[in-house]
Amino acid sequence: MDSMRIIEVKQSIFADNDEDANKLRSRLKEQKTFLLNMMSSPGSGKTTTLVRTINALSDRLRIGVMEADIDSDVDAWTIAEKTSAKTIQLHTGGMCHLDADMTRQGLKELGTEEIDLAVLENVGNLVCPAEFDTGASKNVMILSVPEGHDKPLKYPLIFTVCDALIINKIDVLPYFDFDMDLVREYAKRRNPKLKIFPICAKTGEGMEAWCDWLYQEVMEWNK
Amino acid sequence: MHELGIVVHITKTLKGIAKENQLKEIASVSLELGEVSGVIPEILTDCWNYYRKKFPLIEEAELKFETLPAVTYCEDCEKTYPTVQYGKKCPHCGSDHTYLIAGNECNIKEIEAC
């Protein structure tokens, strides 16, 4: 038997994922497909926000959706029933997040040739999805009012990696001790460039500003 | 459960290294984990022990850990301090204009293999 030897590696565990993510990002850029990675806690209103967003933009953009969950296909059915977007369901097999290679496989299944905007609805979780770059053009997260304004302090990484923060369920603000000024301050402290959009996905309030921003970003990317 | 995802990525990296160096068997993998990397060694080991059995290359490989201290830098008084003990607020001047400079690492340091 050969003798054991020490091999120095000195490499971040995330290095291979970062490399996959960068490859995927440049391929998507070349073929003019914008990938939006949407992250949040479970129950913050990702799917409802997505339905409204798709319906606001579907006359201008060809949209595809990948719903990622540990199990079930309820979200994919909701999107398929309420919008005209092409939708597929991804199962992560117990994993709490998607990585770049899983995203690549999902996009292959979805078919990106005829898609201007591909949306990845990541697994509901504020911790793990933030650690794995999916290859997205932009990252967005949703924080809903009932979750509380202290989340940027408790889950700093996700607020750091996101380009935009949607604050959903503003219709219930009168019933919660949610301080809108404080959440802005906490989030900006983590990420001064963060765009913030207070919305109510149920009533449609604030959706225009969010959809305009997204549309501009897609046009810029796909130029 | 992100520890399982991390194990999958460690394995991918190891497969690449094994191919490059024509390795048949890995006896140990040494990791460097920052104090605030959010990775829990015990859970990582559990996931590793489940996952390594699937691949002959790492079937017998032991996971070893080294902890790297977390250090935060204060922009206002330009001093550093231990993150775990004091968090976001600088213990020297009370400012919260601080950022982490070390302690978030999640590295494969070295492997023992043939």
Side-chain angles (χ1 to χ4, degrees):
Chain A
M1 193 168 152
D2 302 341
S3 63
M4 287 285 167
R5 59 190 164 116
I6 304 276
I7 297 170
E8 195 171 302
V9 182
K10 273 282 174 201
Q11 188 182 328
S12 163
I13 287 166
F14 300 106
D16 74 307
N17 185 62
D18 290 347
E19 199 186 317
D20 286 350
N22 286 332
K23 264 189 222 158
L24 180 61
R25 206 165 8 249
S26 37
R27 192 171 60 78
L28 289 172
K29 174 91 186 155
E30 252 168 55
Q31 65 175 62
K32 297 183 194 290
T33 300
F34 181 99
L35 175 63
L36 180 72
N37 177 25
M38 216 172 191
M39 298 177 282
S40 83
S41 311
S44 63
K46 281 192 295 296
T47 310
T48 310
T49 304
L50 204 47
V51 167
R52 271 212 189 256
T53 306
I54 294 167
N55 289 336
L57 296 174
S58 60
D59 54 342
R60 287 176 281 172
L61 298 172
R62 295 167 300 176
I63 304 173
V65 178
M66 296 183 289
E67 288 290 337
D69 280 300
I70 288 173
D71 203 355
S72 98
D73 54 4
V74 288
D75 283 351
W77 278 109
T78 307
I79 300 284
E81 270 167 28
K82 296 184 175 173
T83 76
S84 56
K86 188 176 176 188
T87 309
I88 62 166
Q89 178 77 48
L90 309 177
H91 282 163
T92 59
M95 216 91 95
C96 52
H97 61 273
L98 281 193
D99 62 22
D101 195 53
M102 289 151 91
T103 307
R104 183 190 56 76
Q105 293 173 37
L107 285 167
K108 199 174 161 199
E109 194 63 35
L110 184 70
T112 48
E113 294 294 304
E114 307 286 313
I115 302 269
D116 305 311
L117 167 61
V119 182
L120 169 64
E121 191 183 321
N122 215 314
V123 182
N125 181 334
L126 291 184
V127 185
C128 320
E131 287 180 347
F132 290 87
D133 187 346
T134 57
S137 318
K138 293 282 169 188
N139 293 303
V140 58
M141 72 165 289
I142 304 179
L143 176 70
S144 63
V145 167
E147 292 170 66
H149 57 248
D150 55 359
K151 291 299 166 288
L153 302 178
K154 291 181 163 183
Y155 302 91
L157 184 63
I158 194 158
F159 289 87
T160 312
V161 301
C162 278
D163 301 286
L165 165 66
I166 293 176
I167 300 174
N168 192 20
K169 308 190 187 178
I170 54 169
D171 56 329
V172 298
L173 271 171
Y175 308 102
F176 287 89
D177 298 324
F178 186 97
D179 190 321
M180 195 60 98
D181 294 330
L182 264 186
V183 79
R184 281 178 190 275
E185 190 197 316
Y186 292 159
K188 292 269 184 182
R189 209 189 283 171
R190 295 296 177 191
N191 181 357
K193 287 189 213 146
L194 191 68
K195 299 269 178 217
I196 300 176
F197 301 100
I199 68 157
C200 173
K202 202 174 158 195
T203 63
E205 193 182 345
M207 286 301 293
E208 209 178 314
W210 150 246
C211 290
D212 284 349
W213 177 82
L214 179 58
Y215 181 71
Q216 290 307 326
E217 292 293 331
V218 174
M219 296 314 282
E220 184 63 31
W221 181 265
N222 295 354
K223 222 165 35 184
Chain B
M1 283 305 288
H2 77 162
E3 277 77 7
L4 181 57
I6 289 170
V7 162
V8 174
H9 282 282
I10 294 173
T11 307
K12 263 193 203 173
T13 305
L14 293 177
K15 280 184 188 165
I17 294 166
K19 207 174 163 188
E20 243 172 66
N21 297 285
Q22 295 172 337
L23 305 172
K24 291 192 292 288
E25 197 188 324
I26 298 178
S28 75
V29 180
S30 300
L31 303 180
E32 291 174 328
L33 297 180
E35 274 182 308
V36 295
S37 64
V39 180
I40 302 168
E42 291 78 11
I43 299 179
L44 197 64
T45 304
D46 283 346
C47 293
W48 178 254
N49 288 340
Y50 152 76
Y51 199 71
R52 69 187 165 104
K53 298 200 183 90
K54 298 173 188 287
F55 305 97
L57 175 71
I58 54 168
E59 210 179 343
E60 302 295 329
E62 183 197 352
L63 217 49
K64 295 178 181 171
F65 300 99
E66 232 172 80
T67 307
L68 302 179
V71 181
T72 296
Y73 175 78
C74 173
E75 286 179 317
D76 287 343
C77 73
E78 300 180 351
K79 286 183 189 155
T80 60
Y81 63 88
T83 311
V84 174
Q85 197 176 348
Y86 298 105
K88 180 84 180 140
K89 208 180 219 24
C90 173
H92 306 295
C93 72
S95 162
D96 56 12
H97 296 130
T98 60
Y99 58 86
L100 191 72
I101 52 172
N104 210 10
E105 299 82 359
C106 204
N107 299 327
I108 303 175
K109 187 187 173 199
E110 60 189 27
I111 60 172
E112 212 182 328
C114 66

